[in-house]
Amino acid sequence: GGIYQYSAASDWKHAHFEKLMTWQAGAIDNYATAFLLTKDAAMIDSARAVHKYVTAFMTSGEGGFYTTQDADLNAHEPGKPFVDGHVYYAKNDAGRRALGFPRIDTHEYARENGLMIAAYATLFEATGDASVLAAAKRAALRILTTHALASGAGGLTHDVATPTTKDAYLADNAAMAWGLVRLHEVTREREWLDGATRIAEYVKKDLADAVRGGFFATTVDPNAVGVFAIRRKPFEENVLAIRAFARIARLSGADAEAAWRPVIAAALRTVATPEMIKSRGRMLGDFLLALEETRGVR
């Protein structure tokens, strides 16, 4: 049921078998959305198949979502026989299980969890499956608990936080704000909107470019030198932040909407340059959604 990362040739018959959580989240969200739009049963069947894989292989006992599963068997297991993915996945389910399972990276990163929480919210909209919603809530509570910066600033770390963790990344915070606001939209439970708002305020304070607009990829690294001292504003992460913050603004009342309007407008101007758009080629769907979703909030 899982989605492979890409095809290693110019057609769809040469899969590279690595399965990333970001791909699983995108697949579930897109198939569930397609079902909501078309009522095509094949779409929701595909979403459920990926969900079944994530539940069986990529969910921790505490409810968080793992990061990746290797393409091949025993690629990281010295002393065990290596089995190429093309050989492994040519076997049926029983044959694969008899050999064992490709290694799963059991880190629970905030970005991957935020994207999957949002995907599960969409899957719940499409199916009404209470177990999907419960899984999304469980993951949200886990990441909010384990990844919160010790400073109490409202932001989240990439991996499980320690008392000395200071660095934070836009990708993680934008994705979790997105996941939480989507969770609020399907439940109307205030705690998820409050959590998304705390993250958004942290990003605005510690990751925003107050002069030129937009959001930096990371917090300031006082030890960085040379090119590493140049703070980037990545297109994809900025767009996701814009989408999340626009929804937070709309859901939080007129005063909040007014406060977020200049921040969102400045961030849009940052990513809407000819250079930024050209660098993305045809991959502009998220940007077009951001333009649509920020109408009236920019």
Side-chain angles (χ1 to χ4, degrees):
I3 291 289
Y4 301 135
Q5 185 180 2
Y6 58 84
S7 178
S10 58
D11 57 37
W12 298 112
K13 299 177 181 179
H14 298 80
H16 177 74
F17 297 101
E18 184 181 13
K19 293 188 277 293
L20 282 69
M21 183 55 70
T22 48
W23 266 242
Q24 315 313 309
I28 291 172
D29 197 273
N30 280 299
Y31 281 124
T33 299
F35 173 75
L36 287 167
L37 292 169
T38 67
K39 304 307 178 185
D40 182 348
M43 298 296 103
I44 203 62
D45 287 347
S46 293
R48 287 186 183 279
V50 181
H51 168 243
K52 181 179 179 181
Y53 163 76
V54 171
T55 301
F57 294 100
M58 300 291 283
T59 305
S60 77
E62 295 76 22
F65 299 111
Y66 295 145
T67 304
T68 63
Q69 184 175 32
D70 281 354
D72 310 300
L73 181 66
N74 298 329
H76 296 85
E77 301 289 341
K80 293 185 178 181
F82 173 81
V83 182
D84 181 88
H86 292 87
V87 175
Y88 181 83
Y89 286 105
K91 298 180 180 297
N92 61 19
D93 183 68
R96 291 195 298 270
R97 289 176 182 272
L99 289 174
F101 301 108
R103 182 188 70 104
I104 291 174
D105 182 341
T106 57
H107 286 93
E108 298 173 29
Y109 295 140
R111 180 185 68 149
E112 282 76 357
N113 276 265
L115 294 175
M116 187 55 77
I117 290 164
Y120 273 23
T122 307
L123 184 58
F124 173 72
E125 284 181 314
T127 64
D129 187 336
S131 69
V132 172
L133 184 60
K137 290 182 179 182
R138 192 172 181 221
L141 287 172
R142 175 160 176 78
I143 300 304
L144 288 172
T145 301
T146 58
H147 289 57
L149 286 165
S151 63
L156 302 173
T157 63
H158 180 56
D159 205 348
V160 175
T162 69
T164 59
T165 304
K166 296 180 180 179
D167 297 331
Y169 301 89
L170 177 60
D172 297 299
N173 285 277
M176 275 300 296
W178 176 251
L180 293 174
V181 78
R182 287 290 295 124
L183 195 52
H184 170 75
E185 287 177 336
V186 300
T187 65
R188 293 296 160 178
E189 293 170 358
R190 183 72 197 193
E191 64 178 301
W192 311 122
L193 179 59
D194 290 344
T197 301
R198 288 194 298 271
I199 294 171
E201 292 293 342
Y202 170 79
V203 170
K204 184 166 65 172
K205 177 178 178 292
D206 281 32
L207 292 170
D209 183 341
V211 177
R212 296 180 177 83
F215 308 107
F216 293 114
T218 66
T219 47
V220 175
D221 181 355
N223 299 314
V225 296
V227 296
F228 298 105
I230 300 172
R231 298 175 77 195
R232 301 181 303 106
K233 297 179 194 173
F235 185 97
E236 183 177 352
E237 289 89 336
N238 267 266
V239 167
L240 186 57
I242 289 165
R243 295 182 66 195
F245 299 167
R247 294 187 182 223
I248 291 168
R250 279 207 177 91
L251 291 164
S252 301
D255 290 344
E257 193 169 316
W260 275 104
R261 185 171 290 117
V263 178
I264 290 169
L268 274 172
R269 286 194 295 271
T270 296
V271 297
T273 65
E275 295 79 15
M276 279 277 205
I277 292 174
K278 184 178 179 180
S279 71
R280 293 284 288 180
R282 293 176 294 175
M283 298 173 65
L284 291 170
D286 53 353
F287 175 65
L288 298 178
L289 287 168
L291 291 178
E292 176 67 22
E293 292 167 2
T294 56
R295 286 187 179 187
V297 195
R298 54 180 164 93

